[in-house]
């Protein structure tokens, strides 16, 4: 039977609709539209902060979502939005003089590594992941990825307009926690609209602001919404085009550097943790055994990331926002995700939409990212809590400590005159090596020296 033959059902409110079922097309389109709104904010915010094109990211999110559904044979309902796991690595690449082609080249290799992991897991079983990357390790890597981004907010976006940033961050915190149900899940999108509105009001009431615009080297007087003119001159329909802020074409081929590749490879660990967690969450919702599809899901995300990066697009990952929509609606139909993917492709083919996104004021991005980056870091702590990682065990406490400080603090290990490891790359290596060096099963918690360190702390 074709995997596109969904059984048509129309149950009452609160009754589940399975992945192999669908509502009548009118209702399916409505649910698909909800998925687009849910993924929308984060999917184009992260390309902006990575210096890539949000229109291209939206376009490839639709293409890659459909690809993911095909690879998993419609068994794992998920949306592939832009991944935040590489943001810190990208910031490090740009800090070392790399351009957008270097960024997408490094991410492309990471996507291929994730694809290889997916193939390995498909044949060896999902237990392999937990052996090499137990929750203690994945939590630490995700944490250092998030907290390593703090200087990006402090040095780039927040100073452009600190008051708009503060108001936007305050609104986002309140919206994400205090708004009911679905509205809380689109807090990023609502915060973007709020920040735009505040910036427009401040431009009218207080006039121009003097600050350094992202990509500039000196402070100038400018409107908060300083590049709105591009919106009027953009076409309604067309392929993503133009140049990025560093002069690289929006659609471009990647370039490769081992140094830059090592800076973003830790993001693969975060993607493995995200995908694994999301597949298990979907399995719990639907009641299906999705372990046989774990390798397919990882491989599909890896291939999707490599495909998008090959054309200058952003890396992808399965989105918790859309899993939240399924939890609220109890509609797990993969048909709705095909609709969402199609709508995203149409949005990606609207240059005027991309111009609106690119006009987002820096202060608004500062407010949104100060919350999002902190949330990424705390997801690492969430992994620890949910998996009951015991920090009374010195294997976890001491084994992870050095890697966290090295990664978050930007410690550098110089290998040769032309090659060094630093930040997230070094931190990830230390976390994995030190953890497995001292983890000896039941013996890991009985090493005398380790216990002495724990007691001293």
């Amino acid at each position: 039977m074709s995997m596109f033959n969904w059984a048509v059902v129309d149950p009452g409110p609160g009754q589940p609709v399975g992945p192999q079922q669908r509502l009548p097309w009118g209702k399916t389109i409505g649910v698909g539209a909800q998925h687009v709104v849910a993924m929308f904010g984060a999917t184009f915010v992260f390309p902006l902060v990575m210096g890539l094109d949000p229109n291209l990211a939206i376009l490839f999110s639709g293409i890659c979502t459909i690809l993911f559904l095909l690879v998993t044979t419609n068994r794992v309902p998920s949306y592939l939005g832009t991944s935040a796991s590489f943001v810190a690595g990208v910031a490090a690449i740009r800090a070392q003089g790399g351009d957008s082609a270097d960024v997408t080249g490094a991410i492309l290799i990471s996507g291929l590594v994730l694809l290889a992991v997916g193939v390995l897991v498909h044949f060896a079983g999902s237990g392999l992941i937990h052996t090499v990357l137990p929750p203690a390790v994945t939590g630490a890597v995700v944490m250092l990825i998030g907290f390593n981004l703090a200087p990006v907010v402090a040095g780039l976006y927040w100073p452009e307009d600190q008051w708009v940033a503060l108001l936007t961050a305050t609104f986002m915190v309140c919206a994400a926690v205090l708004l009911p149900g679905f509205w809380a899940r689109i807090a990023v999108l609502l915060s973007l609209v709020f920040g735009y509105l505040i910036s427009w009001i401040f431009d009218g009431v207080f006039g121009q602001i003097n600050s350094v615009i992202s990509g500039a080297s000196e402070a100038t007087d400018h409107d908060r919404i300083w590049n709105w003119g591009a919106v009027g001159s953009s076409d309604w329909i067309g392929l993503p085009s133009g140049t990025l802020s560093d002069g690289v074409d929006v659609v471009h081929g990647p370039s490769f550097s081992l140094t830059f590749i090592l800076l973003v490879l830790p993001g693969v660990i975060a993607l493995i943790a995200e995908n694994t967690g999301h597949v298990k969450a979907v399995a719990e919702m639907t009641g299906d055994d999705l372990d046989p599809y774990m390798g397919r899901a990882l491989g599909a995300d890896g291939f999707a990331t490599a495909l998008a990066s090959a054309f200058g697009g952003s890396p992808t990952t399965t989105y918790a926002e859309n899993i939240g929509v399924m939890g609220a609606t109890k509609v797990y139909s993969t048909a709705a995700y095909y609709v969402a993917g199609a709508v995203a492709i149409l949005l990606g083919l609207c240059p005027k939409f991309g111009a609106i996104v690119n006009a987002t004021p820096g202060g608004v991005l500062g407010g949104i990212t100060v919350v999002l980056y902190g949330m990424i870091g705390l997801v690492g702590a969430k992994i620890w809590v949910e998996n009951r990682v015991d920090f009374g065990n010195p294997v976890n406490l001491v084994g992870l400590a050095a890697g966290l400080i090295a990664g978050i603090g930007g410690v550098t290990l110089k290998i040769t005159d032309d090659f060094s490891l630093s930040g997230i790359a070094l931190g990830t290596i230390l976390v994995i090596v030190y953890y497995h060096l001292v983890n000896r099963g039941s013996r890991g918690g009985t090493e005398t020296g380790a216990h002495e360190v724990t007691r001293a702390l």
Side-chain angles (χ1 to χ4, degrees), residues 20-100:
Q20 310 297 287
Q21 299 174 324
R22 68 168 175 83
L23 296 167
W25 279 117
K27 293 182 179 180
T28 295
I29 291 172
V31 174
Q34 287 190 71
H35 282 299
V36 172
V37 174
M39 67 83 185
F40 188 75
T43 292
F44 74 71
V45 165
F46 289 125
L48 282 177
V49 299
M50 287 190 286
L52 300 174
D53 185 68
N55 234 40
L56 195 61
I58 294 288
L59 174 65
F60 270 104
S61 77
I63 295 171
C64 292
T65 294
I66 293 173
L67 172 67
F68 180 91
L69 295 171
L70 293 174
V71 172
T72 58
T73 63
N74 287 349
R75 298 288 181 176
V76 186
S78 290
Y79 191 92
L80 292 193
T82 303
S83 172
S85 300
F86 297 104
V87 173
V90 170
I93 289 174
R94 294 195 182 279
Q96 295 186 24
D99 61 15
S100 295

Side-chain angles (χ1 to χ4, degrees), residues 284-349:
E284 185 174 340
M285 286 179 174
T286 62
D288 297 333
D289 178 16
L290 296 181
D291 278 355
Y293 297 92
M294 187 74 73
R296 285 175 178 261
L298 290 168
D301 189 15
F303 181 68
T305 292
L307 176 65
S309 300
F311 294 90
S314 303
T316 63
T317 187
T318 50
Y319 254 31
E321 291 91 334
N322 298 90
I323 293 174
V325 171
M326 289 193 293
T329 63
K330 295 189 182 302
V331 178
Y332 314 119
S333 172
T334 52
Y337 281 99
Y338 280 102
V339 171
V343 172
I345 291 171
L346 292 176
L347 286 174
L349 295 175

